[in-house]
């Protein structure tokens, strides 16, 4: 039961910190720390998970991919692909459905 409370509290903390414009990485790190405390993870367990997180190949690939998304978006905007995409979607889909479909395509 206390783990579920910790999960809810950590999610709440992350949302509040992001809404207060705290850096996403720091908000997630604080949320993970709160979750770990409520899960009764030892300090050694924290250190092991922290080291594994920064040395895992999949995590590093994910960080690289996510950090390159703004670069791709900038290139697409500069070339005009974003405007073309929006106009094409508006021709196929009408009304508020465009608002739901656009983030999925991006």
């Amino acid at each position: 039961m206390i783990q579920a409370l910790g999960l809810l509290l950590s999610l709440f903390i992350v949302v509040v910190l992001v809404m207060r414009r705290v850096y996403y990485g720091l908000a997630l790190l604080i949320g993970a720390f709160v979750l770990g405390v409520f899960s009764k993870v030892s300090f050694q367990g924290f250190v092991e998970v922290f080291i594994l997180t920064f040395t895992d190949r999949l995590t590093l690939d994910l960080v690289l991919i996510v950090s390159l998304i703004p670069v791709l978006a900038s290139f697409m905007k500069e070339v005009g692909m974003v405007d073309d995409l929006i106009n094409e979607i508006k021709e196929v889909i009408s009304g508020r459905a465009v608002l739901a479909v656009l983030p999925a395509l991006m």
Side-chain angles (χ1 to χ4, degrees):
M1 179 67 179
I2 195 150
Q3 289 91 356
L5 180 64
L7 176 64
L8 292 175
L9 182 63
S10 66
L11 289 173
F12 177 76
I13 288 172
V14 169
V15 169
V16 168
L17 289 175
V18 169
M19 288 175 61
R20 292 182 180 236
R21 306 241 187 252
V22 174
Y23 179 66
Y24 290 113
L26 181 60
L28 289 174
L29 191 61
I30 292 170
F33 179 77
V34 169
L35 185 61
V37 167
F38 275 86
S39 298
K40 300 177 184 174
V41 175
S42 66
F43 180 74
Q44 182 180 1
F46 270 120
V47 173
E48 288 175 7
V49 169
F50 191 79
I51 291 171
L52 286 174
T53 299
F54 286 102
T55 58
D56 183 38
R57 172 71 184 195
L58 186 62
T59 304
L60 296 175
D61 288 344
L62 185 61
V63 167
L64 179 65
I65 290 167
V66 170
S67 63
L68 288 176
I69 289 173
V71 175
L72 177 63
S74 174
F75 287 149
M76 289 177 68
K77 187 174 183 180
E78 193 168 313
V79 174
M81 289 178 67
V82 173
D83 296 330
D84 294 340
L85 179 64
I86 291 171
N87 291 332
E88 293 292 329
I89 291 172
K90 284 182 180 179
E91 289 178 10
V92 176
I93 301 170
S94 63
R96 293 185 177 183
V98 173
L99 296 175
V101 171
L102 269 177
L105 288 175
M106 291 296 186

